[in-house]
Amino acid sequence: MSSNSENRESWNTRLGFIFAAIGSAVGLGNIWRFPYMTAESGGASFVLLYLFLLFLIGIPVMIAEFVIGRKTRRSPVKALASAGRYDWSPLGFLFVATGFIILSYYSVIAGWTLQYMVDSAGGIITDYDPGTYFDAISTGKRSIFYHTLFMVITTCIVLAGVKRGIENSVKFLIPTLVLLLAGLGFWAFFQPGSGEGYSFYLKPDLSTLFSSSFPYVNVQILADAAGQTFFTLSLGMGAMITYASYLSRDEDLVEETLIISLSNVCIAFLAGLIVFPIIAAFNLQGEIGQSTISTLFIAIPKAFQSIGGAWGSFLSFAFFGCLFLAALTSGISLLEVVTSTLIDQFDISRITASTTSGALIFILGIPAALNLGWLSLADQIAGNLLLMVGGFLLTLYVGWTMYEAGRELRKGLNIPVVGLWIALIRYIIPVVMFCLVLLAFWDISYGMLSDALPK
Ligand code: TRP
């Protein structure tokens, strides 16, 4: 494969591209990260804040990534080297490094979902105390084994290429995921006592967002909501640049962004409609807030356990199957960024590029498979901070140095929003993002400090 944009691979159909981008966006971020962040940060008010940031920042930044990708038809490093007045390839390398780190721990969590699936099918999940089970499987040899398995599956799909591997698999995986989630949401609705869960999830309590002393807003919630917006939409590390670089026709990028981001919100919302009613119906409120990463992996199996029997095992299998499918389509996009960069930079074959990057990421993930502290640190740094830094620099690039970004967006556009988009990308989002990056930085270093100090 050559780095020449003329013989670059491309999507077969528009729907294939849209499904692949939804697949990238919908992942553990929707089903695992979103509900626990919502639970930690006061329920519905967090959801509102997240929606606000989605429209203010998420959608315009996604459009920006699509514009770069389609205009240059190159992977992020080459794209950022060539599309503007200055060579911004270092930003492309930051993207690749971020993707590298994210996939390394993402794959470990995805490996847990595989273990839960396998053990649900064998009836094991409903036999053990979920806390003990989680402690036993989340780190150590088993965790490494399933991390390996996940990386192997992901690499095989990426290796098969854009059309044959990615497009064909997401076309089947996404509809399956939506059907499974809808089925589980329907089931959760009929559980006695689920009502309280809906009210926590859907009734905002704005007081959690503000505080009476400086800086008057709850910094952690704001930083988390911003980080979540980037993480869940797969922004800030070039995944959407890469996917858009395989577009061969000029379609309406704004329409596509709206379809992708709103589908992503709907699926996260649906995940909340499963998780919160279950928590309320099975009295698992005590589980929330004890730990962050493990909430879903410990609380939800408790519900399936109290149902018990074949039905409990089946529901557990379906739930973790959803998580696995969602994680797979996201893992594919993370690996594709690294793979396509290697192909473009070194002019090597897709097979060499994907297996090399898969193997390196696998190795980098081993510490996360052995230690949960490492995993959550990597998530805070790469999954929160680096994505926001990447997003901030990307808006500066597109707003201030890229050639003809507006003209590229105008191609195929039915909704006349170019002026609005440019104003947002140039003036508003960089300022907001700069503050958010500082907040995230403060939040992380403050968190580390308070962990280090004796209580
Ligand atoms: N968006 C995915 C999720 O919500 C994760 C993901 C895939 C991602 N590709 C990404 C996050 C690129 C950041 C950047 O689980």
Side-chain angles (χ1 to χ4, degrees), residues 53 204 353 379:
L53 290 175
D379 183 41

Side-chain angles (χ1 to χ4, degrees), residues 24-25 27-30 102 106 231-232 234-235 237 239 330 333-334 387:
S24 169
L28 297 171
N30 301 57
I102 294 182
Y106 200 85
F231 188 87
T232 188
S234 304
L235 299 176
M237 56 76 63
S330 300
S333 78
L334 286 159
L387 290 180

Side-chain angles (χ1 to χ4, degrees), residues 171-376:
K171 265 200 305 217
F172 154 77
L173 297 175
I174 298 292
T176 314
L177 170 71
V178 172
L179 279 179
L180 275 174
L181 282 175
L184 283 168
F186 193 70
W187 170 79
F189 180 75
F190 289 104
Q191 297 314 301
S194 58
E196 229 177 90
Y198 292 110
S199 66
F200 171 76
Y201 184 39
L202 304 173
K203 249 205 258 146
D205 170 13
L206 291 179
S207 63
T208 53
L209 295 183
F210 301 100
S211 63
S212 53
S213 55
F214 184 78
Y216 304 110
V217 285
N218 188 328
V219 172
Q220 197 195 343
I221 295 190
L222 196 56
D224 281 351
Q228 174 64 8
T229 309
F230 272 79
F231 188 87
T232 188
L233 291 175
S234 304
L235 299 176
M237 56 76 63
M240 294 303 179
I241 297 183
T242 310
Y243 273 9
S245 75
Y246 302 126
L247 283 172
S248 52
R249 287 172 292 271
D250 289 334
E251 274 136 8
D252 187 335
L253 290 180
V254 173
E255 202 177 285
E256 286 172 354
T257 304
L258 288 173
I259 296 175
I260 295 159
S261 51
L262 295 179
S263 311
N264 181 59
V265 170
C266 289
I267 294 182
F269 192 69
L270 185 56
L273 289 180
I274 298 170
V275 173
F276 291 107
I278 292 186
I279 287 174
F282 293 89
N283 274 322
L284 304 170
Q285 286 86 343
E287 307 294 323
I288 299 282
Q290 280 184 359
S291 62
T292 48
I293 316 178
S294 53
T295 303
L296 193 77
F297 287 95
I298 296 177
I300 297 294
K302 284 211 167 143
F304 298 134
Q305 196 167 49
S306 60
I307 299 162
W311 187 223
S313 300
F314 170 75
L315 286 169
S316 173
F317 179 78
F319 182 81
F320 289 102
C322 285
L323 268 171
F324 169 68
L325 292 183
L328 182 61
T329 52
S330 300
I332 293 170
S333 78
L334 286 159
L335 186 61
E336 179 60 25
V337 173
V338 184
T339 302
S340 77
T341 305
L342 290 185
I343 295 175
D344 277 3
Q345 290 301 114
F346 302 109
D347 223 352
I348 52 179
S349 71
R350 177 167 276 275
I351 297 186
T352 318
S354 55
T355 45
T356 314
S357 34
L360 290 176
I361 291 170
F362 159 70
I363 295 170
L364 188 69
I366 292 178
L370 295 174
N371 184 320
L372 289 186
W374 176 279
L375 190 152
S376 84

